[in-house]
Amino acid sequence: MTTPISGTTTTGQTAASGSTKGSPLTSLDSQAFLKLLVAQLRYQDPSSPADPTAFMTQTATLTQVEKLSSLAESQTSMLTSTLSAQASALVGKSVSYKTKVDGDTLTGTVTAATFGASPTVRIGTADVPLALVTGQRTS
């Protein structure tokens, strides 16, 4: 479902531009933001142009949002890589882990690992989420 985004200029005219998914306040992407900004400039009153400081503030805000989104994606990628490396480092090791059903602590040797945002390790015939591994056994 798409929701049109529209803005009202100082002269009272409404300028429609683009669409985004979800609520306009929570999911305004950079393309929709730029379309709004262009519509605002296009429909402004020529005798009373927009404040250049406000324009620069809006542009700076757009840049900040894009950089923060890029940073969040990088952090997610780094976390996925770290978790995958931790899972693969356990292959061949004896570990203790909690069971999902009753929370008992069991031990076993890791024979395989899966990679991704939620890596698992294979212990015997069970695929155990890495989050349930509580420690590495030294014996």
Side-chain angles (χ1 to χ4, degrees), residues 81-93 110 112-115 119-121 130:
S81 297
T82 301
L83 290 173
S84 296
Q86 288 176 348
S88 66
L90 292 175
V91 174
K93 306 282 185 351
V110 176
T114 62
F115 302 117
T120 62
V121 292
L130 186 62

Side-chain angles (χ1 to χ4, degrees), residues 97-104 127-129 132:
Y97 62 98
K98 298 259 185 200
T99 61
K100 286 184 185 180
V101 180
D102 51 14
D104 288 341
D127 286 328
V128 179
L132 295 179

